[in-house]
Amino acid sequence: MGKRSRLSLPVLVVVLAICYIYCTTIFIFIDHWFGLWSSPGLMNAIVFTGVAAICVFSYVVAIFTDPGIVPPSFVPDIEDPDTPIKEIKRKGGDLRYCQKCSRYKPPRAHHCRVCRRCVLRMDHHCIWINNCVGHMNYKVFFIFVLYAVIACIYSQVLLFGSIISGPLKDEQQNEGSSESIYVISGVLMIPLSIALCVLLGWHIYLILRNKTTIEYHEGVRAMWLAEKGGEIYMHPYDLGPFENLTSVLGPSILFWACPTSRHIGSGLRFPTRYDNLAATSTS
């Protein structure tokens, strides 16, 4: 299967929105409030440009990074008791096999109907990056959302500050167009900021529980079945908040906000809470 183009209409919409927000923030909001070439204006322009640059870089990396494909050579080792080749959330313990790809799936891998392949630690397929969010690009996707929230909130502060600071334009001929830009910016950024904050909060919750979006929905059903049987369901990959954070964002707190993912491993095996229980019982 050949590589498909990463450019799509939703991606183009995101690029245009980023360009619009950046240009209006720098050349209208900051310029009107402080004066672009004043010391406060330059400082805010530099800081906002830095946030926007990291946001754009993370977005590009999320688009072009392969989320992680199951290697053609992957075969579950049924003789190795330490290899979680079975579907942990199911009591039956059947081997995970994808009928569409005609190959075995490692833990947390799922088949994407859009990409038409199995993706390692698949979270979801995102139309806004025209790519799956999976093992290899989940952190950089999260960092993109984080900096997008910061940029939107920062831009809104500058927008409202420039409105409060004084009249929009002294020239009569420019007054209507300037007011239109402020209205369009408010209509665009307020719902966008709310949506991005909800998305960021959702993924912070998932990271703290070491879940993917797919695993969350699977866990709801598994919890219902466990309660029906008089048992308690516990997510097998939940190692505790700090361990969950480090497994996704990296072992060093200094690099948590950086769009790098050198710590994630192959994506074919993940530590579980049962590993800790087994280690405790043998010690």
Side-chain angles (χ1 to χ4, degrees):
M1 183 175 63
K3 292 184 177 179
R4 56 195 182 88
S5 174
R6 295 299 186 188
L7 183 63
S8 64
L9 180 59
V11 170
L12 182 60
V13 169
V14 172
V15 172
L16 292 176
I18 291 174
C19 292
Y20 176 83
I21 292 173
Y22 179 79
C23 291
T24 53
T25 301
I26 297 294
F27 299 109
I28 296 180
F29 307 152
I30 292 178
D31 186 39
H32 179 262
W33 190 359
F34 304 106
L36 185 57
W37 302 109
S38 65
S39 296
L42 284 174
M43 181 189 69
N44 279 279
I46 291 172
V47 173
F48 186 79
T49 299
V51 173
I54 299 176
C55 181
V56 170
F57 176 77
S58 303
Y59 182 64
V60 172
V61 174
I63 290 175
F64 289 100
T65 299
D66 192 292
I69 187 172
V70 179
S73 59
F74 173 76
V75 178
D77 187 359
I78 59 176
E79 296 181 357
D80 185 0
D82 296 327
T83 301
I85 59 174
K86 302 179 180 181
E87 187 69 57
I88 295 179
K89 65 179 172 45
R90 295 177 182 171
K91 290 184 177 181
D94 298 330
L95 294 176
R96 305 186 71 231
Y97 187 81
C98 180
Q99 300 291 341
K100 297 182 177 65
C101 295
S102 299
R103 66 179 59 170
Y104 287 105
K105 294 188 294 183
R108 313 186 83 175
H110 294 274
H111 186 87
C112 175
R113 292 176 294 179
V114 179
C115 298
R116 292 181 292 178
R117 63 176 185 172
C118 288
V119 175
L120 297 175
R121 195 187 179 275
M122 180 178 174
D123 186 88
H124 69 288
H125 184 90
C126 180
I127 63 170
W128 302 109
I129 65 173
N130 196 25
N131 195 9
C132 271
V133 178
H135 178 65
M136 302 299 293
N137 65 347
Y138 180 80
K139 181 188 174 182
V140 74
F141 171 80
F142 175 78
I143 296 301
F144 160 66
V145 176
L146 172 64
Y147 281 101
V149 168
I150 295 173
C152 284
I153 294 176
Y154 194 176
S155 180
Q156 284 185 79
V157 171
L158 294 171
L159 184 155
F160 293 123
S162 64
I163 292 176
I164 296 172
S165 64
L168 298 182
K169 284 290 181 181
D170 295 331
E171 297 82 0
Q172 184 68 28
Q173 62 270 22
N174 293 329
E175 184 176 354
S177 61
S178 297
E179 289 180 353
S180 299
I181 291 176
Y182 276 79
V183 171
I184 293 172
S185 299
V187 170
L188 171 66
M189 283 191 291
I190 291 176
L192 179 61
S193 298
I194 294 173
L196 287 173
C197 285
V198 171
L199 182 62
L200 178 64
W202 169 247
H203 282 283
I204 289 175
Y205 166 79
L206 291 178
I207 290 175
L208 290 174
R209 297 297 182 92
N210 203 356
K211 293 181 180 181
T212 65
T213 300
I214 294 175
E215 288 171 349
Y216 170 82
H217 292 292
E218 290 177 339
V220 170
R221 183 175 184 275
M223 186 181 300
W224 177 78
L225 292 174
E227 290 178 353
K228 189 177 180 181
E231 300 178 359
I232 299 177
Y233 172 78
M234 303 183 72
H235 183 57
Y237 301 105
D238 188 355
L239 308 176
F242 184 76
E243 289 294 330
N244 295 338
L245 281 169
T246 56
S247 67
V248 175
L249 301 181
S252 175
I253 299 178
L254 298 177
F255 295 98
W256 277 6
C258 297
T260 56
S261 302
R262 298 181 179 179
H263 63 283
I264 56 178
S266 65
L268 300 177
R269 191 188 191 283
F270 297 90
T272 69
R273 63 189 308 124
Y274 305 121
D275 297 335
N276 297 335
L277 292 175
T280 305
S281 62
T282 56
S283 60

